[in-house]
Amino acid sequence: MPKFLLMVNHDGGEFEQPMDEWAPGDITAHFDYYAALTEELVASGEMVQFTGLADPRLARIVRSDGAAAPVVTDGPFPESKEVLAGFNVVDVESEARALEIAARISAVPGPGGVPTRQPVEVRQVMDAVAFDL
């Protein structure tokens, strides 16, 4: 079965308000939704990995030529909305199923229970078969 990487963008979707400004019940509902979806996908055998990432303001960028000491800088820039917030790796029957799961992730509730419509990028994971190895 093909594996897909479902990348959730840090973009708030329908909401400009950062999550740390949401009502506590809305934050709980948001994470409860993810927990229930993750539990369902684990039970079906489709979930390979789920990982949420820390705030992008805590990220660092490393550049190296392999000889000199690496250069480590803060990043990415906070005004960028195209920052990875988390990802899932799913092992599913088809791309259509991966898209269905991505749609459910995008519908995670935000303030007032309204779906966030966060963008979720779906990409197939390459394996040795793809390279004829």
Side-chain angles (χ1 to χ4, degrees):
M1 293 193 310
K3 290 181 183 161
F4 289 86
L5 177 65
L6 312 178
M7 297 176 281
V8 180
N9 199 311
H10 203 269
D11 178 327
E14 296 293 312
F15 301 97
E16 293 294 324
Q17 181 184 29
M19 185 182 287
D20 59 1
E21 295 177 10
W22 294 6
D26 290 336
I27 294 170
T28 299
H30 183 87
F31 286 111
D32 285 351
Y33 179 96
Y34 273 128
L37 179 58
T38 299
E39 185 177 309
E40 177 186 326
L41 296 173
V42 166
S44 72
E46 294 173 304
M47 180 65 74
V48 174
Q49 180 179 1
F50 166 76
T51 302
L53 300 173
D55 189 295
R57 292 174 290 191
L58 301 174
R60 303 294 175 257
I61 296 174
V62 178
R63 296 180 195 272
S64 176
D65 63 6
V71 176
V72 180
T73 57
D74 291 344
F77 298 107
E79 65 271 9
S80 174
K81 287 189 171 189
E82 295 183 2
V83 176
L84 189 63
F87 63 90
N88 298 276
V89 177
V90 294
D91 191 355
V92 292
E93 289 290 331
S94 65
E95 179 184 47
R97 177 63 178 145
L99 295 173
E100 178 183 319
I101 294 167
R104 291 182 62 196
I105 292 169
S106 180
V108 65
V114 176
T116 62
R117 295 179 44 133
Q118 281 183 291
V120 179
E121 183 177 341
V122 178
R123 300 196 39 200
Q124 188 167 355
V125 176
M126 295 185 70
D127 59 17
V129 174
F131 291 106
D132 292 325
L133 297 177

